[in-house]
């Protein structure tokens, strides 16, 4: 989950509630993909079957596996950082783990 550090630092209870709500939505989407596709299809200006097909190509991480998502995200940020260094866009590799704050996520 990417959420404003300012929000996490200044209002961790709200950050926790937002996270819980998102995890609840993820659980619903994973358990009810057809209904979810019908519900959100208009946002994509697509028919529900098109949205459902796209949803099946995407992995939704929720309360049960958010740690796996964080590992993937950290790896992606490290890869991007290395690419930026290798291509002279930034001078040194940042410690992307230092950007991470998990204190607001309920275990």
């Amino acid at each position: 989950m990417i959420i404003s550090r300012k929000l996490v630092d200044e209002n961790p209870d709200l950050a926790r509630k937002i996270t819980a709500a998102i995890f609840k939505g993820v659980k619903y989407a994973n358990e009810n993909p057809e209904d979810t596709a019908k519900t959100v299809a208009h946002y994509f200006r697509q028919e529900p079957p098109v949205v459902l097909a796209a949803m099946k190509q995407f992995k939704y991480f929720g309360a049960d596996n958010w740690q796996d998502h964080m590992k993937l995200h950290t790896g992606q940020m490290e890869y991007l950082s290395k690419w930026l260094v290798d291509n002279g866009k930034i001078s040194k590799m940042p410690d992307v783990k230092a950007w991470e704050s998990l204190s607001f996520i309920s275990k």
Side-chain angles (χ1 to χ4, degrees):
M1 159 143 333
I2 299 174
I3 194 167
S4 164
R5 179 171 296 275
K6 181 178 179 182
L7 175 67
V8 171
D9 291 345
E10 293 179 5
N11 199 337
D13 288 335
L14 178 58
R16 196 170 293 106
K17 288 175 184 176
I18 291 169
T19 303
I22 290 170
F23 286 167
K24 185 177 178 181
V26 166
K27 182 177 181 177
Y28 186 86
N30 284 334
E31 291 176 355
N32 303 281
E34 293 85 6
D35 187 50
T36 301
K38 285 186 222 174
T39 302
V40 302
H42 70 280
Y43 291 113
F44 299 100
R45 296 186 179 114
Q46 298 289 332
E47 293 298 316
V50 174
V51 174
L52 181 59
M55 287 174 59
K56 289 180 178 180
Q57 301 300 313
F58 191 82
K59 180 166 178 139
Y60 298 93
F61 292 91
D64 295 335
N65 57 0
W66 66 264
Q67 296 93 339
D68 294 335
H69 183 236
M70 287 303 300
K71 288 176 190 172
L72 287 173
H73 180 70
T74 300
Q76 291 167 341
M77 294 301 293
E78 288 171 341
Y79 179 87
L80 175 59
S81 296
K82 183 177 180 329
W83 184 92
L84 291 170
V85 170
D86 291 347
N87 288 280
K89 303 298 181 185
I90 59 176
S91 61
K92 67 178 187 168
M93 181 98 166
D95 178 9
V96 299
K97 285 290 274 174
W99 302 342
E100 198 175 275
S101 173
L102 307 175
S103 62
F104 67 100
I105 302 176
S106 298
K107 307 283 185 212

